[in-house]
Amino acid sequence: VDDYLKNDAIKKGEISSNFDYEVLTENTSINNAEYVRIQQKINGIPVYERFGSFSLRSGSIINFNNNFIDGNLGSQTSVTPLLSAEESLKKFAAISGKRFINVSSPQDLKEATDNVVLFTAKTPSLLVYYFDGKDLKLAWKTLAEIKGKRDENNSFDPTHLSEVIIDANTGVIL
């Protein structure tokens, strides 16, 4: 796989010369073929939802599919966020007129009113690049609950967290 990416895929124009990746799954065997799945990285940072998959038989690549972006897009892109994941969500809350609550105890949920962004610092957050079809943006991939109004039971459910991709420099949801 590594040899193919460093030589053949570049020659065939399937990837740019500025290419980095991480193996996500390896040696999954189905129907007498092995499958390898990789995620694109730029500047050592994963690119959100940009993957490649290989089908191999007897050590030879029989198929390669990907939805990679040009790795050269990241050459001028920052690797250092201006905002932490929490700060990004706080900024989003302020921009959208919602109250930000960092949930650290059940009591915090009782204080939640309509129009809130619920977040906990214990939630894992991952720095990623997000490609919007034109530009590469440094972003946080994290979990949060964004509520407009209370549900029919007049409460919030902290188990309904959603994956959020939020600009790490502006706090805008991507």
PDB file of all heavy atoms in Angstrom, residues 24 44 58 65 103 124 131 147 171:
ATOM      1  N   LEU A  24      -6.330   3.011   9.025  1.00  0.00           N
ATOM      2  CA  LEU A  24      -7.414   2.855   9.989  1.00  0.00           C
ATOM      3  C   LEU A  24      -7.749   1.390  10.218  1.00  0.00           C
ATOM      4  O   LEU A  24      -7.970   0.973  11.348  1.00  0.00           O
ATOM      5  CB  LEU A  24      -8.661   3.598   9.511  1.00  0.00           C
ATOM      6  CG  LEU A  24      -8.507   5.098   9.338  1.00  0.00           C
ATOM      7  CD1 LEU A  24      -9.788   5.704   8.792  1.00  0.00           C
ATOM      8  CD2 LEU A  24      -8.124   5.765  10.652  1.00  0.00           C
ATOM      9  N   GLY A  44       0.020  16.407   9.180  1.00  0.00           N
ATOM     10  CA  GLY A  44      -0.132  15.512  10.321  1.00  0.00           C
ATOM     11  C   GLY A  44      -1.514  15.533  10.954  1.00  0.00           C
ATOM     12  O   GLY A  44      -1.754  14.874  11.956  1.00  0.00           O
ATOM     13  N   SER A  58      -3.404 -11.676  -2.965  1.00  0.00           N
ATOM     14  CA  SER A  58      -2.046 -12.233  -3.088  1.00  0.00           C
ATOM     15  C   SER A  58      -0.989 -11.137  -3.073  1.00  0.00           C
ATOM     16  O   SER A  58      -0.011 -11.171  -3.819  1.00  0.00           O
ATOM     17  CB  SER A  58      -1.914 -13.066  -4.365  1.00  0.00           C
ATOM     18  OG  SER A  58      -2.854 -14.109  -4.379  1.00  0.00           O
ATOM     19  N   ASN A  65      -9.842   3.038  -4.273  1.00  0.00           N
ATOM     20  CA  ASN A  65     -10.831   4.115  -4.356  1.00  0.00           C
ATOM     21  C   ASN A  65     -10.518   5.141  -3.282  1.00  0.00           C
ATOM     22  O   ASN A  65     -10.063   4.782  -2.200  1.00  0.00           O
ATOM     23  CB  ASN A  65     -12.250   3.580  -4.123  1.00  0.00           C
ATOM     24  CG  ASN A  65     -12.697   2.682  -5.228  1.00  0.00           C
ATOM     25  OD1 ASN A  65     -12.692   3.065  -6.385  1.00  0.00           O
ATOM     26  ND2 ASN A  65     -13.074   1.459  -4.888  1.00  0.00           N
ATOM     27  N   VAL A 103     -21.221  21.369  30.882  1.00  0.00           N
ATOM     28  CA  VAL A 103     -21.878  20.458  31.809  1.00  0.00           C
ATOM     29  C   VAL A 103     -20.826  19.672  32.592  1.00  0.00           C
ATOM     30  O   VAL A 103     -20.062  18.913  32.026  1.00  0.00           O
ATOM     31  CB  VAL A 103     -22.820  19.481  31.065  1.00  0.00           C
ATOM     32  CG1 VAL A 103     -23.486  18.529  32.038  1.00  0.00           C
ATOM     33  CG2 VAL A 103     -23.850  20.259  30.270  1.00  0.00           C
ATOM     34  N   PRO A 124     -14.210  13.901  24.184  1.00  0.00           N
ATOM     35  CA  PRO A 124     -13.021  13.961  23.334  1.00  0.00           C
ATOM     36  C   PRO A 124     -13.251  14.881  22.134  1.00  0.00           C
ATOM     37  O   PRO A 124     -14.327  14.867  21.538  1.00  0.00           O
ATOM     38  CB  PRO A 124     -12.813  12.517  22.886  1.00  0.00           C
ATOM     39  CG  PRO A 124     -14.053  11.789  23.217  1.00  0.00           C
ATOM     40  CD  PRO A 124     -14.821  12.592  24.205  1.00  0.00           C
ATOM     41  N   PHE A 131     -12.786  20.269   4.507  1.00  0.00           N
ATOM     42  CA  PHE A 131     -12.790  20.825   3.160  1.00  0.00           C
ATOM     43  C   PHE A 131     -14.218  21.197   2.800  1.00  0.00           C
ATOM     44  O   PHE A 131     -15.104  20.350   2.773  1.00  0.00           O
ATOM     45  CB  PHE A 131     -12.223  19.810   2.161  1.00  0.00           C
ATOM     46  CG  PHE A 131     -12.132  20.332   0.763  1.00  0.00           C
ATOM     47  CD1 PHE A 131     -11.326  21.417   0.460  1.00  0.00           C
ATOM     48  CD2 PHE A 131     -12.865  19.737  -0.247  1.00  0.00           C
ATOM     49  CE1 PHE A 131     -11.242  21.901  -0.835  1.00  0.00           C
ATOM     50  CE2 PHE A 131     -12.785  20.213  -1.550  1.00  0.00           C
ATOM     51  CZ  PHE A 131     -11.973  21.295  -1.852  1.00  0.00           C
ATOM     52  N   LYS A 147     -29.531  23.079  21.405  1.00  0.00           N
ATOM     53  CA  LYS A 147     -30.979  23.062  21.583  1.00  0.00           C
ATOM     54  C   LYS A 147     -31.575  24.440  21.330  1.00  0.00           C
ATOM     55  O   LYS A 147     -31.016  25.442  21.754  1.00  0.00           O
ATOM     56  CB  LYS A 147     -31.340  22.653  23.021  1.00  0.00           C
ATOM     57  CG  LYS A 147     -31.068  21.205  23.334  1.00  0.00           C
ATOM     58  CD  LYS A 147     -32.137  20.351  22.715  1.00  0.00           C
ATOM     59  CE  LYS A 147     -32.101  18.962  23.296  1.00  0.00           C
ATOM     60  NZ  LYS A 147     -33.136  18.126  22.769  1.00  0.00           N
ATOM     61  N   GLY A 171     -15.293  29.806  15.235  1.00  0.00           N
ATOM     62  CA  GLY A 171     -16.440  29.327  15.992  1.00  0.00           C
ATOM     63  C   GLY A 171     -17.671  29.103  15.139  1.00  0.00           C
ATOM     64  O   GLY A 171     -18.758  28.890  15.652  1.00  0.00           O
TER      65      GLY A 171
END
